[in-house]
Structures are given as structure tokens and as C-alpha cells.
């Protein structure tokens, strides 16, 4: 498995992974698949400050992706970022998420961010385990704040102070 920065040429694979989650899970609270052009635009706007990463298997297939974005545009939150991750459904549970987040956290740390936040639709035990394995802890729960497939969805927020992570993630 190889972790690298995403390019616009990864947009179709990123969209396929994301749209599978949208159509089959409540991990994303979008109802409709996201257009490839939309994701291509987001990847194109990625920067050193807000990177998009992909995990690529030995055959060059994208197995997952993760990205960083500003958590809140207000000046007082300039040291806080939000992270997002999606793993191809056939590659879940194989360490892809941990590899992506290890590199993403390294980049976040190098850039001097202090806090990392992630939102998770609940229940999602695999995502909860991944975020907690990365040193994050649940700091908020919003019961029933979302809706998908005709039912209410709880959303939790996980957070870590990046300086609290020692060594490799």
C-alpha cells in the first residue's frame, strides 16, 4: 500500500468510494451521489495546507482517501482542522485507514495545527475504533441531528490535540 497526494486523475476513484458510502451507508449524510467533477474540483483546490491523500494498492488502484479542511473559517479557529476519510468497501479492516491517517497526521503536525476534529455518523464502530486508535476521543454527541434512509442519525465529534500525540500516530 502506498500513500500519496491525490491528483485530479484520482477523482473518479475517489467518487466511486465516496458514492458507494453515500448510497449504501449513513457514513455520509448526502442522499445523492456526488459528481466526479465536484470532487475533481475539491482535489484541485487541495493545497499543502489542506491536503487530500489517497491509498494506492500494488496494482495502482485507489483503496481509500482522506482529506483535511478548515474546521471553521473564523480567525480564532486557524489552528483547528477537520479530517475526513473513506475506505473502499472491499479494503475496510485492512489497515488502510490507519496508514492514511498516519500520513495525514504527520502533515497536520508539520503545518503547526493544534487541534484535529472528525465527525462520525453513529453507530459506526469501525470508524470510532480508527479515530480512537489515532488518539482521538469523543467530545460531543448530537442525538438525531441527521437523517438518512428514513431514520434519525446521531453524529459524534472526535478530537485530539495534535501536540498530545507522541511520535508516530
Amino acid at each position: 500500500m502506498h500513500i500519496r497526494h491525490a491528483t485530479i486523475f484520482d477523482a473518479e476513484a475517489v467518487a466511486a468510494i465516496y458514492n458507494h458510502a453515500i448510497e449504501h451507508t449513513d457514513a455520509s449524510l448526502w442522499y445523492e451521489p456526488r459528481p466526479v467533477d465536484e470532487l475533481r474540483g475539491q482535489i484541485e483546490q487541495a493545497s499543502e495546507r489542506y491536503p487530500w491523500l489517497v491509498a494506492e494498492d500494488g496494482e495502482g488502484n485507489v483503496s481509500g482517501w482522506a482529506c483535511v479542511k478548515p474546521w471553521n473559517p473564523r480567525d480564532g479557529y486557524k489552528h483547528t482542522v477537520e479530517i475526513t476519510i473513506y475506505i473502499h468497501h472491499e479494503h475496510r479492516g485492512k489497515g488502510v485507514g490507519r496508514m492514511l491517517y498516519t500520513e495525514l497526521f504527520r502533515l497536520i503536525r508539520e503545518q503547526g495545527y493544534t487541534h484535529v476534529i472528525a465527525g462520525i455518523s453513529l453507530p459506526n464502530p469501525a470508524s470510532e475504533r480508527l479515530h480512537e486508535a489515532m488518539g482521538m476521543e469523543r467530545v460531543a454527541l448530537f442525538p438525531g441531528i441527521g437523517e438518512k434512509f428514513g431514520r434519525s442519525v446521531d453524529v459524534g465529534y472526535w478530537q485530539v490535540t495534535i501536540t498530545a500525540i507522541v511520535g508516530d500516530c
Side-chain angles (χ1 to χ4, degrees), residues 31-109:
Y31 292 173
E32 299 295 325
R34 308 317 305 154
V36 172
D37 286 342
E38 176 183 303
L39 293 164
R40 185 177 291 116
Q42 290 177 21
I43 292 168
E44 191 171 37
Q45 291 176 14
S47 64
E48 186 174 308
R49 194 121 175 96
Y50 302 111
W52 277 64
L53 300 178
V54 293
E56 189 176 68
D57 68 17
E59 298 174 9
N61 300 310
V62 174
S63 305
W65 61 272
C67 67
V68 177
K69 59 186 173 185
W71 182 65
N72 188 306
R74 294 179 184 98
D75 295 337
Y77 296 112
K78 68 182 178 183
H79 298 292
T80 303
V81 291
E82 183 174 1
I83 56 176
T84 300
I85 191 166
Y86 285 88
I87 308 302
H88 188 285
H89 63 279
E90 293 177 357
H91 294 273
R92 293 182 190 144
K94 298 180 180 178
V96 176
R98 185 156 182 118
M99 290 175 65
L100 277 164
Y101 266 178
T102 296
E103 178 61 11
L104 200 64
F105 275 50
R106 185 188 69 75
L107 294 170
I108 290 167
R109 187 182 305 124

Side-chain angles (χ1 to χ4, degrees), residues 87-161:
I87 308 302
H88 188 285
H89 63 279
E90 293 177 357
H91 294 273
R92 293 182 190 144
K94 298 180 180 178
V96 176
R98 185 156 182 118
M99 290 175 65
L100 277 164
Y101 266 178
T102 296
E103 178 61 11
L104 200 64
F105 275 50
R106 185 188 69 75
L107 294 170
I108 290 167
R109 187 182 305 124
E110 281 181 2
Q111 294 172 29
Y113 290 112
T114 309
H115 301 282
V116 179
I117 294 175
I120 303 173
S121 299
L122 301 172
N124 189 336
S127 188
E128 292 175 60
R129 281 192 305 273
L130 171 62
H131 288 84
E132 289 168 4
M134 298 307 298
M136 302 183 82
E137 63 181 74
R138 191 171 86 181
V139 294
L141 174 66
F142 298 101
I145 195 171
E147 183 181 307
K148 185 100 179 243
F149 305 129
R151 64 175 183 80
S152 292
V153 177
D154 296 345
V155 176
Y157 272 85
W158 272 250
Q159 186 227 349
V160 67
T161 301

